[in-house]
PDB file of all heavy atoms in Angstrom:
ATOM      1  N   ALA L 228       0.858  -1.187   0.002  1.00 97.00           N
ATOM      2  CA  ALA L 228       0.001  -0.007   0.003  1.00 97.00           C
ATOM      3  C   ALA L 228       0.889   1.233  -0.010  1.00 97.00           C
ATOM      4  O   ALA L 228       2.019   1.208   0.516  1.00 97.00           O
ATOM      5  CB  ALA L 228      -0.894  -0.009   1.236  1.00 97.00           C
ATOM      6  N   PRO L 229       0.426   2.353  -0.564  1.00 98.00           N
ATOM      7  CA  PRO L 229       1.240   3.557  -0.582  1.00 98.00           C
ATOM      8  C   PRO L 229       1.759   3.985   0.789  1.00 98.00           C
ATOM      9  O   PRO L 229       2.880   4.465   0.932  1.00 98.00           O
ATOM     10  CB  PRO L 229       0.265   4.613  -1.158  1.00 98.00           C
ATOM     11  CG  PRO L 229      -0.594   3.829  -2.086  1.00 98.00           C
ATOM     12  CD  PRO L 229      -0.813   2.514  -1.348  1.00 98.00           C
ATOM     13  N   LYS L 230       0.945   3.767   1.848  1.00 98.00           N
ATOM     14  CA  LYS L 230       1.419   4.128   3.190  1.00 98.00           C
ATOM     15  C   LYS L 230       2.646   3.325   3.603  1.00 98.00           C
ATOM     16  O   LYS L 230       3.469   3.807   4.402  1.00 98.00           O
ATOM     17  CB  LYS L 230       0.316   3.898   4.221  1.00 98.00           C
ATOM     18  CG  LYS L 230      -0.729   4.969   4.239  1.00 98.00           C
ATOM     19  CD  LYS L 230      -1.700   4.675   5.368  1.00 98.00           C
ATOM     20  CE  LYS L 230      -2.729   5.783   5.476  1.00 98.00           C
ATOM     21  NZ  LYS L 230      -3.651   5.557   6.587  1.00 98.00           N
ATOM     22  N   GLU L 231       2.781   2.141   3.055  1.00 98.00           N
ATOM     23  CA  GLU L 231       3.933   1.299   3.416  1.00 98.00           C
ATOM     24  C   GLU L 231       5.235   1.787   2.805  1.00 98.00           C
ATOM     25  O   GLU L 231       6.318   1.396   3.291  1.00 98.00           O
ATOM     26  CB  GLU L 231       3.674  -0.151   2.983  1.00 98.00           C
ATOM     27  CG  GLU L 231       2.560  -0.823   3.746  1.00 98.00           C
ATOM     28  CD  GLU L 231       2.319  -2.240   3.272  1.00 98.00           C
ATOM     29  OE1 GLU L 231       3.141  -3.147   3.580  1.00 98.00           O
ATOM     30  OE2 GLU L 231       1.298  -2.459   2.581  1.00 98.00           O
ATOM     31  N   ILE L 232       5.148   2.621   1.766  1.00 98.00           N
ATOM     32  CA  ILE L 232       6.397   3.165   1.195  1.00 98.00           C
ATOM     33  C   ILE L 232       6.574   4.633   1.521  1.00 98.00           C
ATOM     34  O   ILE L 232       7.500   5.268   1.063  1.00 98.00           O
ATOM     35  CB  ILE L 232       6.455   2.942  -0.346  1.00 98.00           C
ATOM     36  CG1 ILE L 232       5.390   3.702  -1.085  1.00 98.00           C
ATOM     37  CG2 ILE L 232       6.408   1.423  -0.664  1.00 98.00           C
ATOM     38  CD1 ILE L 232       5.630   3.822  -2.566  1.00 98.00           C
ATOM     39  N   TYR L 233       5.691   5.170   2.356  1.00 98.00           N
ATOM     40  CA  TYR L 233       5.720   6.576   2.763  1.00 98.00           C
ATOM     41  C   TYR L 233       7.142   6.912   3.306  1.00 98.00           C
ATOM     42  O   TYR L 233       7.736   7.904   2.895  1.00 98.00           O
ATOM     43  CB  TYR L 233       4.650   6.847   3.806  1.00 98.00           C
ATOM     44  CG  TYR L 233       4.804   8.202   4.489  1.00 98.00           C
ATOM     45  CD1 TYR L 233       4.281   9.350   3.919  1.00 98.00           C
ATOM     46  CD2 TYR L 233       5.451   8.323   5.717  1.00 98.00           C
ATOM     47  CE1 TYR L 233       4.402  10.587   4.529  1.00 98.00           C
ATOM     48  CE2 TYR L 233       5.593   9.546   6.335  1.00 98.00           C
ATOM     49  CZ  TYR L 233       5.055  10.676   5.736  1.00 98.00           C
ATOM     50  OH  TYR L 233       5.184  11.885   6.351  1.00 98.00           O
ATOM     51  N   GLY L 234       7.646   6.148   4.236  1.00 98.00           N
ATOM     52  CA  GLY L 234       8.963   6.425   4.830  1.00 98.00           C
ATOM     53  C   GLY L 234      10.074   6.406   3.805  1.00 98.00           C
ATOM     54  O   GLY L 234      10.988   7.249   3.860  1.00 98.00           O
ATOM     55  N   LEU L 235      10.004   5.471   2.887  1.00 98.00           N
ATOM     56  CA  LEU L 235      11.025   5.409   1.822  1.00 98.00           C
ATOM     57  C   LEU L 235      11.013   6.671   0.986  1.00 98.00           C
ATOM     58  O   LEU L 235      12.038   7.291   0.739  1.00 98.00           O
ATOM     59  CB  LEU L 235      10.770   4.191   0.932  1.00 98.00           C
ATOM     60  CG  LEU L 235      11.671   4.065  -0.322  1.00 98.00           C
ATOM     61  CD1 LEU L 235      13.124   3.843   0.054  1.00 98.00           C
ATOM     62  CD2 LEU L 235      11.129   2.964  -1.230  1.00 98.00           C
ATOM     63  N   ILE L 236       9.821   7.093   0.565  1.00 98.00           N
ATOM     64  CA  ILE L 236       9.720   8.269  -0.280  1.00 98.00           C
ATOM     65  C   ILE L 236      10.110   9.534   0.482  1.00 98.00           C
ATOM     66  O   ILE L 236      10.858  10.370  -0.004  1.00 98.00           O
ATOM     67  CB  ILE L 236       8.287   8.395  -0.844  1.00 98.00           C
ATOM     68  CG1 ILE L 236       7.938   7.173  -1.722  1.00 98.00           C
ATOM     69  CG2 ILE L 236       8.103   9.704  -1.634  1.00 98.00           C
ATOM     70  CD1 ILE L 236       8.914   6.898  -2.859  1.00 98.00           C
ATOM     71  N   LEU L 237       9.629   9.658   1.728  1.00 98.00           N
ATOM     72  CA  LEU L 237       9.975  10.823   2.541  1.00 98.00           C
ATOM     73  C   LEU L 237      11.500  10.899   2.713  1.00 98.00           C
ATOM     74  O   LEU L 237      12.095  11.963   2.511  1.00 98.00           O
ATOM     75  CB  LEU L 237       9.286  10.750   3.898  1.00 98.00           C
ATOM     76  CG  LEU L 237       9.612  11.861   4.895  1.00 98.00           C
ATOM     77  CD1 LEU L 237       9.213  13.221   4.319  1.00 98.00           C
ATOM     78  CD2 LEU L 237       8.954  11.574   6.220  1.00 98.00           C
ATOM     79  N   ASN L 238      12.123   9.794   3.065  1.00 98.00           N
ATOM     80  CA  ASN L 238      13.566   9.792   3.296  1.00 98.00           C
ATOM     81  C   ASN L 238      14.349  10.066   2.017  1.00 98.00           C
ATOM     82  O   ASN L 238      15.377  10.727   2.032  1.00 98.00           O
ATOM     83  CB  ASN L 238      14.011   8.464   3.902  1.00 98.00           C
ATOM     84  CG  ASN L 238      13.505   8.335   5.333  1.00 98.00           C
ATOM     85  OD1 ASN L 238      13.242   9.315   6.029  1.00 98.00           O
ATOM     86  ND2 ASN L 238      13.376   7.105   5.807  1.00 98.00           N
ATOM     87  N   ALA L 239      13.843   9.586   0.889  1.00 98.00           N
ATOM     88  CA  ALA L 239      14.511   9.815  -0.406  1.00 98.00           C
ATOM     89  C   ALA L 239      14.515  11.313  -0.736  1.00 98.00           C
ATOM     90  O   ALA L 239      15.564  11.859  -1.129  1.00 98.00           O
ATOM     91  CB  ALA L 239      13.843   9.032  -1.508  1.00 98.00           C
ATOM     92  N   PHE L 240      13.360  11.951  -0.537  1.00 98.00           N
ATOM     93  CA  PHE L 240      13.288  13.392  -0.829  1.00 98.00           C
ATOM     94  C   PHE L 240      14.071  14.227   0.196  1.00 98.00           C
ATOM     95  O   PHE L 240      14.699  15.212  -0.188  1.00 98.00           O
ATOM     96  CB  PHE L 240      11.853  13.832  -0.963  1.00 98.00           C
ATOM     97  CG  PHE L 240      11.286  13.597  -2.320  1.00 98.00           C
ATOM     98  CD1 PHE L 240      10.730  12.362  -2.656  1.00 98.00           C
ATOM     99  CD2 PHE L 240      11.307  14.586  -3.307  1.00 98.00           C
ATOM    100  CE1 PHE L 240      10.222  12.098  -3.923  1.00 98.00           C
ATOM    101  CE2 PHE L 240      10.802  14.353  -4.583  1.00 98.00           C
ATOM    102  CZ  PHE L 240      10.255  13.104  -4.879  1.00 98.00           C
ATOM    103  N   LYS L 241      14.096  13.791   1.442  1.00 98.00           N
ATOM    104  CA  LYS L 241      14.880  14.500   2.437  1.00 98.00           C
ATOM    105  C   LYS L 241      16.390  14.345   2.163  1.00 98.00           C
ATOM    106  O   LYS L 241      17.154  15.274   2.419  1.00 98.00           O
ATOM    107  CB  LYS L 241      14.588  13.946   3.848  1.00 98.00           C
ATOM    108  CG  LYS L 241      13.295  14.456   4.411  1.00 98.00           C
ATOM    109  CD  LYS L 241      13.098  13.839   5.796  1.00 98.00           C
ATOM    110  CE  LYS L 241      12.324  14.789   6.678  1.00 98.00           C
ATOM    111  NZ  LYS L 241      12.258  14.293   8.044  1.00 98.00           N
ATOM    112  N   ALA L 242      16.784  13.197   1.624  1.00 98.00           N
ATOM    113  CA  ALA L 242      18.208  12.966   1.345  1.00 98.00           C
ATOM    114  C   ALA L 242      18.772  13.867   0.271  1.00 98.00           C
ATOM    115  O   ALA L 242      20.000  14.093   0.227  1.00 98.00           O
ATOM    116  CB  ALA L 242      18.417  11.496   0.956  1.00 98.00           C
ATOM    117  N   VAL L 243      17.921  14.406  -0.572  1.00 98.00           N
ATOM    118  CA  VAL L 243      18.395  15.280  -1.652  1.00 98.00           C
ATOM    119  C   VAL L 243      19.232  16.430  -1.090  1.00 98.00           C
ATOM    120  O   VAL L 243      20.241  16.819  -1.684  1.00 98.00           O
ATOM    121  CB  VAL L 243      17.195  15.796  -2.488  1.00 98.00           C
ATOM    122  CG1 VAL L 243      17.654  16.847  -3.510  1.00 98.00           C
ATOM    123  CG2 VAL L 243      16.496  14.632  -3.209  1.00 98.00           C
ATOM    124  N   ASP L 244      18.849  16.948   0.061  1.00 98.00           N
ATOM    125  CA  ASP L 244      19.550  18.063   0.659  1.00 98.00           C
ATOM    126  C   ASP L 244      21.006  17.735   0.984  1.00 98.00           C
ATOM    127  O   ASP L 244      21.851  18.640   1.045  1.00 98.00           O
ATOM    128  CB  ASP L 244      18.835  18.545   1.917  1.00 98.00           C
ATOM    129  CG  ASP L 244      19.397  19.868   2.413  1.00 98.00           C
ATOM    130  OD1 ASP L 244      19.434  20.820   1.611  1.00 98.00           O
ATOM    131  OD2 ASP L 244      19.803  19.929   3.605  1.00 98.00           O
ATOM    132  N   SER L 245      21.312  16.477   1.183  1.00 98.00           N
ATOM    133  CA  SER L 245      22.687  16.088   1.579  1.00 98.00           C
ATOM    134  C   SER L 245      23.654  15.958   0.378  1.00 98.00           C
ATOM    135  O   SER L 245      24.851  15.759   0.545  1.00 98.00           O
ATOM    136  CB  SER L 245      22.678  14.773   2.357  1.00 98.00           C
ATOM    137  OG  SER L 245      22.287  13.703   1.500  1.00 98.00           O
ATOM    138  N   TYR L 246      23.134  16.084  -0.825  1.00 98.00           N
ATOM    139  CA  TYR L 246      23.972  15.934  -2.020  1.00 98.00           C
ATOM    140  C   TYR L 246      24.618  17.269  -2.371  1.00 98.00           C
ATOM    141  O   TYR L 246      23.960  18.289  -2.459  1.00 98.00           O
ATOM    142  CB  TYR L 246      23.157  15.428  -3.215  1.00 98.00           C
ATOM    143  CG  TYR L 246      22.879  13.944  -3.148  1.00 98.00           C
ATOM    144  CD1 TYR L 246      21.883  13.436  -2.335  1.00 98.00           C
ATOM    145  CD2 TYR L 246      23.613  13.046  -3.928  1.00 98.00           C
ATOM    146  CE1 TYR L 246      21.641  12.069  -2.245  1.00 98.00           C
ATOM    147  CE2 TYR L 246      23.360  11.679  -3.872  1.00 98.00           C
ATOM    148  CZ  TYR L 246      22.383  11.206  -3.026  1.00 98.00           C
ATOM    149  OH  TYR L 246      22.115   9.865  -2.961  1.00 98.00           O
ATOM    150  N   ASP L 247      25.928  17.212  -2.605  1.00 98.00           N
ATOM    151  CA  ASP L 247      26.647  18.392  -3.067  1.00 98.00           C
ATOM    152  C   ASP L 247      26.873  18.367  -4.569  1.00 98.00           C
ATOM    153  O   ASP L 247      27.215  19.383  -5.175  1.00 98.00           O
ATOM    154  CB  ASP L 247      28.026  18.480  -2.368  1.00 98.00           C
ATOM    155  CG  ASP L 247      27.878  18.683  -0.862  1.00 98.00           C
ATOM    156  OD1 ASP L 247      26.960  19.441  -0.444  1.00 98.00           O
ATOM    157  OD2 ASP L 247      28.681  18.097  -0.097  1.00 98.00           O
ATOM    158  N   VAL L 248      26.718  17.173  -5.134  1.00 97.00           N
ATOM    159  CA  VAL L 248      26.920  16.930  -6.563  1.00 97.00           C
ATOM    160  C   VAL L 248      25.817  15.983  -7.010  1.00 97.00           C
ATOM    161  O   VAL L 248      25.472  15.037  -6.310  1.00 97.00           O
ATOM    162  CB  VAL L 248      28.291  16.317  -6.840  1.00 97.00           C
ATOM    163  CG1 VAL L 248      28.486  15.927  -8.298  1.00 97.00           C
ATOM    164  CG2 VAL L 248      29.412  17.238  -6.382  1.00 97.00           C
ATOM    165  N   VAL L 249      25.275  16.202  -8.187  1.00 98.00           N
ATOM    166  CA  VAL L 249      24.294  15.294  -8.773  1.00 98.00           C
ATOM    167  C   VAL L 249      25.068  14.089  -9.342  1.00 98.00           C
ATOM    168  O   VAL L 249      25.951  14.279 -10.169  1.00 98.00           O
ATOM    169  CB  VAL L 249      23.459  15.973  -9.860  1.00 98.00           C
ATOM    170  CG1 VAL L 249      22.469  14.971 -10.488  1.00 98.00           C
ATOM    171  CG2 VAL L 249      22.724  17.167  -9.291  1.00 98.00           C
ATOM    172  N   PRO L 250      24.760  12.862  -8.884  1.00 97.00           N
ATOM    173  CA  PRO L 250      25.461  11.681  -9.392  1.00 97.00           C
ATOM    174  C   PRO L 250      25.227  11.457 -10.888  1.00 97.00           C
ATOM    175  O   PRO L 250      24.121  11.730 -11.402  1.00 97.00           O
ATOM    176  CB  PRO L 250      24.858  10.531  -8.600  1.00 97.00           C
ATOM    177  CG  PRO L 250      24.025  11.133  -7.534  1.00 97.00           C
ATOM    178  CD  PRO L 250      23.739  12.524  -7.913  1.00 97.00           C
ATOM    179  N   GLY L 251      26.222  10.964 -11.582  1.00 96.00           N
ATOM    180  CA  GLY L 251      26.086  10.570 -12.977  1.00 96.00           C
ATOM    181  C   GLY L 251      25.933  11.729 -13.928  1.00 96.00           C
ATOM    182  O   GLY L 251      25.207  11.582 -14.938  1.00 96.00           O
ATOM    183  N   THR L 252      26.574  12.844 -13.679  1.00 96.00           N
ATOM    184  CA  THR L 252      26.421  13.998 -14.551  1.00 96.00           C
ATOM    185  C   THR L 252      27.651  14.269 -15.376  1.00 96.00           C
ATOM    186  O   THR L 252      28.201  15.356 -15.372  1.00 96.00           O
ATOM    187  CB  THR L 252      26.022  15.259 -13.767  1.00 96.00           C
ATOM    188  OG1 THR L 252      27.005  15.477 -12.748  1.00 96.00           O
ATOM    189  CG2 THR L 252      24.657  15.155 -13.136  1.00 96.00           C
ATOM    190  N   ASN L 253      28.081  13.266 -16.085  1.00 95.00           N
ATOM    191  CA  ASN L 253      29.136  13.470 -17.056  1.00 95.00           C
ATOM    192  C   ASN L 253      28.682  12.828 -18.381  1.00 95.00           C
ATOM    193  O   ASN L 253      27.711  12.058 -18.407  1.00 95.00           O
ATOM    194  CB  ASN L 253      30.480  12.899 -16.558  1.00 95.00           C
ATOM    195  CG  ASN L 253      30.354  11.428 -16.209  1.00 95.00           C
ATOM    196  OD1 ASN L 253      29.911  10.638 -17.014  1.00 95.00           O
ATOM    197  ND2 ASN L 253      30.756  11.058 -15.009  1.00 95.00           N
ATOM    198  N   PRO L 254      29.331  13.154 -19.490  1.00 96.00           N
ATOM    199  CA  PRO L 254      28.849  12.686 -20.789  1.00 96.00           C
ATOM    200  C   PRO L 254      28.803  11.151 -20.929  1.00 96.00           C
ATOM    201  O   PRO L 254      28.011  10.620 -21.682  1.00 96.00           O
ATOM    202  CB  PRO L 254      29.840  13.270 -21.769  1.00 96.00           C
ATOM    203  CG  PRO L 254      30.609  14.301 -21.058  1.00 96.00           C
ATOM    204  CD  PRO L 254      30.476  14.021 -19.601  1.00 96.00           C
ATOM    205  N   GLU L 255      29.631  10.448 -20.163  1.00 96.00           N
ATOM    206  CA  GLU L 255      29.642   8.987 -20.220  1.00 96.00           C
ATOM    207  C   GLU L 255      28.428   8.373 -19.527  1.00 96.00           C
ATOM    208  O   GLU L 255      28.036   7.248 -19.846  1.00 96.00           O
ATOM    209  CB  GLU L 255      30.932   8.420 -19.600  1.00 96.00           C
ATOM    210  CG  GLU L 255      32.193   8.779 -20.318  1.00 96.00           C
ATOM    211  CD  GLU L 255      32.707  10.201 -19.991  1.00 96.00           C
ATOM    212  OE1 GLU L 255      32.328  10.754 -18.931  1.00 96.00           O
ATOM    213  OE2 GLU L 255      33.476  10.739 -20.815  1.00 96.00           O
ATOM    214  N   ASN L 256      27.845   9.080 -18.578  1.00 95.00           N
ATOM    215  CA  ASN L 256      26.758   8.526 -17.773  1.00 95.00           C
ATOM    216  C   ASN L 256      25.383   9.119 -18.030  1.00 95.00           C
ATOM    217  O   ASN L 256      24.405   8.579 -17.507  1.00 95.00           O
ATOM    218  CB  ASN L 256      27.062   8.728 -16.280  1.00 95.00           C
ATOM    219  CG  ASN L 256      28.358   8.079 -15.858  1.00 95.00           C
ATOM    220  OD1 ASN L 256      29.274   8.767 -15.444  1.00 95.00           O
ATOM    221  ND2 ASN L 256      28.478   6.765 -16.041  1.00 95.00           N
ATOM    222  N   CYS L 257      25.286  10.202 -18.778  1.00 96.00           N
ATOM    223  CA  CYS L 257      24.040  10.911 -18.914  1.00 96.00           C
ATOM    224  C   CYS L 257      23.860  11.440 -20.311  1.00 96.00           C
ATOM    225  O   CYS L 257      24.791  12.045 -20.850  1.00 96.00           O
ATOM    226  CB  CYS L 257      23.982  12.049 -17.876  1.00 96.00           C
ATOM    227  SG  CYS L 257      22.454  12.992 -17.926  1.00 96.00           S
ATOM    228  N   GLY L 258      22.684  11.292 -20.859  1.00 96.00           N
ATOM    229  CA  GLY L 258      22.385  11.735 -22.217  1.00 96.00           C
ATOM    230  C   GLY L 258      22.200  13.247 -22.357  1.00 96.00           C
ATOM    231  O   GLY L 258      22.156  13.778 -23.465  1.00 96.00           O
TER     232      GLY L 258
END
């Protein structure tokens, strides 16, 4: 059920703040 993944989604969006660089942003990894 969506409520069962609430914590996963909340934590994923909260984790964005901890990134200083976007992963995979070079020509070899991203179109």
Side-chain angles (χ1 to χ4, degrees):
K230 281 185 177 182
E231 293 179 73
I232 66 165
Y233 169 85
L235 174 66
I236 299 305
L237 177 61
N238 290 336
F240 276 85
K241 282 180 150 187
V243 173
D244 191 55
S245 68
Y246 282 78
D247 296 322
V248 175
V249 177
T252 55
N253 58 52
E255 295 81 21
N256 302 118
C257 180

